[in-house]
Amino acid sequence: MMGEMLKKPQYIALALVAVIALIIYNLPTQTMSRWKLAISGVFLPLFGLAGSSQQLLQKTGNTVLPRKLLAREAERLRLENEQLKIHAMQSAELLRENAQLRTSLDWQRQTTWKLKLARVVARDPANWWRTIQIDAGATDGIRTNFPVLTSEGLVGKIAAVGPYRSQVLLLGDPNLRIGALVQDKEVRENGIIVSGGGPLDNNLVGLQYFSRNSAIKPGQSVITSGDGGVFPKGILIGQIVDMANPASGLSTEARVKVAADLNSLEEVWVMLP
Amino acid sequence: MNAINPIIILLAAFLAVYFESSFSLFRNLLGAQIDLLPPLMVYASLTTGIFTVALLAVTGGLLFDSLSANPLGVSIVPLFAMGYTIHRFHGLLLREQVYAQFAFGTAASVLTPLLTLLILLSGDSNPLVGWGTVWQLLIIGLTGGLLTPLVFATLDRLSRALNYQPAIQVGFRPDREIKRRRGTL
């Protein structure tokens, strides 16, 4: 009976696939992560090609732009640059003052953020995860759990690191939970950011574990609380859209519109320690 | 059968996974990323042998999972289950008919992610699932169904272009030609 079965190619193929799937699926997490990065390495030439062609297109586009438009853009950037310089000057003074006060109060000094720019090369092909791949890895000093952000706000954190690429867990992924703080003139409430927008809306996340009589309301800003040690305090996450009381009635939940547009990420900043 | 067909199918799987991870037009427009591997599996199971089906399931599944947060290998079994089932009955199926291709493409495109989700939910993973998943499966099924005839047409043409064509058997045989000459009869 068994011998007969083994003669049929269908059963041999079935057995082979079952064995391969079982072995791979039961690999230790570290080994699986290494295998994943090694296998996804076959896409590197295509990612590189896509990046180069995008740059080429951009350069070609720049050459055909009218001179008048470029001059106007340069003038706008010059003004913006001057404004930013003045803000930077003011910030430097505030920073110095803050450091002095912290020293006099014997508080720990705040460190300035060091950032590394990375290009988004791929998104998760599965519809049930929120991850992206970026073109910076261990060789650029990236490690797991480093925060990832854009100028608009927080994006997520590094989940896995390869030599030249890393995987980023985006806000809203079921595996990412972040300590958050609703900060307003009247209110200061702690909560936890979880996936809450459902599979269709990438830019909505849930905010849970508020006390039932908290004074949070739509429009208030949500920032990282710094709890947990992964994200520094003060990175903007988004704004509260609406609230609901869950069936248990013990706490309040809210939905938060993420400040960074997670659907159109092209470049992100990785925060280095 | 030679090695051209499996190579074409594996190359198509590689490009399909790259497309899914790099182009987000469908995801941003419809809220769901289309899946090109199930239509490819329908093509492989109706056109090639069971070992090519197995090879596509393992390679396609590994490539897909490597760019995803899925545990590695989780997509292999659902893909192979689709391919194996269709291949078992491929003698009875109307491979050439566009509506049959659409039906198999739709069914495979819905069942493959559904099976993957079931495996994930039965393990330690906690994928993002909700009412929106029904909409996503609808979009994946519909686009998969529409793409399957396109996959058949493209890969059949490519296969014909790269393979040796079978010699055409004609009724004419030179040794049986009746030579008519003037003066005979």
Side-chain angles (χ1 to χ4, degrees):
Chain A
M1 178 73 179
M2 193 70 181
E4 283 293 307
M5 273 179 77
L6 285 175
K7 279 177 192 166
K8 290 194 172 180
Q10 280 176 339
Y11 294 120
I12 299 170
L14 185 67
L16 270 174
V17 171
V19 168
I20 291 171
L22 270 174
I23 290 172
I24 296 171
Y25 194 57
N26 287 306
L27 283 173
T29 317
Q30 286 288 322
T31 318
M32 192 185 274
S33 186
R34 273 203 296 273
W35 277 39
K36 267 182 130 175
L37 286 163
I39 294 168
S40 61
V42 296
F43 292 102
L44 275 180
L46 283 183
F47 291 147
L49 197 70
S52 311
S53 44
Q54 203 177 350
Q55 279 173 357
L56 192 73
L57 268 174
Q58 213 168 7
K59 273 184 189 169
T60 316
N62 288 346
T63 52
V64 295
L65 270 178
R67 206 179 152 78
K68 204 171 158 184
L69 198 76
L70 287 173
R72 204 184 305 152
E73 184 66 11
E75 180 59 21
R76 192 185 65 79
L77 287 173
R78 193 183 61 79
L79 285 173
E80 197 178 298
N81 189 30
E82 275 180 22
Q83 273 177 354
L84 287 173
K85 270 183 182 168
I86 294 165
H87 281 305
M89 229 153 48
Q90 195 182 11
S91 301
E93 180 54 29
L94 287 172
L95 210 66
R96 194 188 55 76
E97 195 178 279
N98 183 280
Q100 258 181 2
L101 287 170
R102 277 178 176 273
T103 317
S104 60
L105 287 170
D106 220 16
W107 282 9
Q108 195 185 6
R109 275 189 77 163
Q110 278 186 321
T111 50
T112 47
W113 297 349
K114 273 194 280 179
L115 301 167
K116 163 90 187 133
L117 185 67
R119 198 168 57 85
V120 177
V121 289
R123 292 186 78 95
D124 202 314
N127 285 301
W128 44 85
W129 305 116
R130 301 266 175 274
T131 68
I132 53 170
Q133 306 255 346
I134 55 170
D135 67 347
T139 48
D140 303 287
I142 311 278
R143 301 284 177 271
T144 49
N145 287 335
F146 280 7
V148 180
L149 57 152
T150 65
S151 54
E152 282 93 35
L154 187 70
V155 165
K157 71 165 186 176
I158 302 285
V161 185
Y164 307 106
R165 260 178 326 108
S166 306
Q167 189 183 43
V168 179
L169 277 185
L170 296 180
L171 283 166
D173 188 274
N175 295 319
L176 184 64
R177 288 176 165 243
I178 302 166
L181 187 69
V182 180
Q183 207 172 20
D184 201 82
K185 281 172 190 163
E186 311 136 27
V187 68
R188 198 177 164 85
E189 287 270 357
N190 273 299
I192 292 176
I193 291 283
V194 292
S195 65
L200 290 181
D201 201 333
N202 281 353
N203 286 321
L204 279 180
V205 292
L207 184 55
Q208 293 182 343
Y209 308 116
F210 285 119
S211 58
R212 200 162 174 249
N213 46 7
S214 66
I216 57 165
K217 51 180 186 270
Q220 286 171 332
S221 293
V222 182
I223 58 168
T224 50
S225 66
D227 297 341
V230 174
F231 300 95
K233 188 181 171 183
I235 307 174
L236 181 67
I237 295 173
Q239 285 186 322
I240 291 177
V241 178
D242 51 24
M243 281 104 60
N245 287 316
S248 67
L250 295 172
S251 61
T252 304
E253 289 179 4
R255 286 195 308 165
V256 175
K257 174 106 179 129
V258 177
D261 186 2
L262 301 181
N263 286 328
S264 55
L265 290 173
E266 284 179 11
E267 280 171 342
V268 290
W269 296 93
V270 183
M271 195 183 282
L272 308 175
Chain B
M1 202 184 80
N2 55 25
I4 294 286
N5 273 1
I7 290 170
I8 291 173
I9 289 169
L10 292 185
L11 204 66
F14 172 70
L15 292 175
V17 176
Y18 172 71
F19 174 85
E20 286 171 37
S21 66
S22 299
F23 297 93
S24 300
L25 183 72
F26 284 95
R27 197 197 303 259
N28 293 343
L29 218 63
L30 304 167
Q33 179 59 292
I34 56 170
D35 194 354
L36 297 168
L37 287 176
L40 211 56
M41 182 51 89
V42 173
Y43 175 80
S45 54
L46 288 176
T47 315
T48 62
I50 190 71
F51 286 108
T52 307
V53 170
L55 198 63
L56 174 64
V58 173
T59 315
L62 286 178
L63 287 174
F64 187 92
D65 293 339
S66 73
L67 288 180
S68 166
N70 280 344
L72 197 66
V74 79
S75 307
I76 295 175
V77 172
L79 270 173
F80 185 69
M82 290 303 113
Y84 184 82
T85 314
I86 296 171
H87 188 268
R88 258 194 91 105
F89 302 104
H90 77 288
L92 304 170
L93 305 175
L94 302 167
R95 178 196 178 284
E96 304 293 333
Q97 299 297 319
V98 172
Y99 71 87
Q101 294 169 0
F102 174 80
F104 292 128
T106 306
S109 299
V110 171
L111 291 173
T112 308
L114 205 63
L115 268 175
T116 312
L117 274 175
L118 282 175
I119 295 172
L120 286 170
L121 288 169
S122 63
D124 296 336
S125 305
N126 180 26
L128 197 58
V129 185
W131 284 109
T133 310
V134 179
W135 168 255
Q136 287 181 333
L137 288 175
L138 201 76
I139 295 294
I140 295 169
L142 206 65
T143 48
L146 290 171
L147 284 169
T148 308
L150 209 70
V151 168
F152 270 77
T154 313
L155 295 190
D156 272 346
R157 185 166 288 189
L158 205 64
S159 175
R160 271 200 301 274
L162 296 174
N163 272 312
Y164 286 113
Q165 293 301 308
I168 299 162
Q169 295 288 326
V170 289
F172 175 73
R173 279 175 59 184
D175 59 321
R176 295 192 68 184
E177 188 184 12
I178 300 166
K179 305 263 174 97
R180 292 181 192 280
R181 291 192 191 91
R182 196 183 289 259
T184 54
L185 197 94

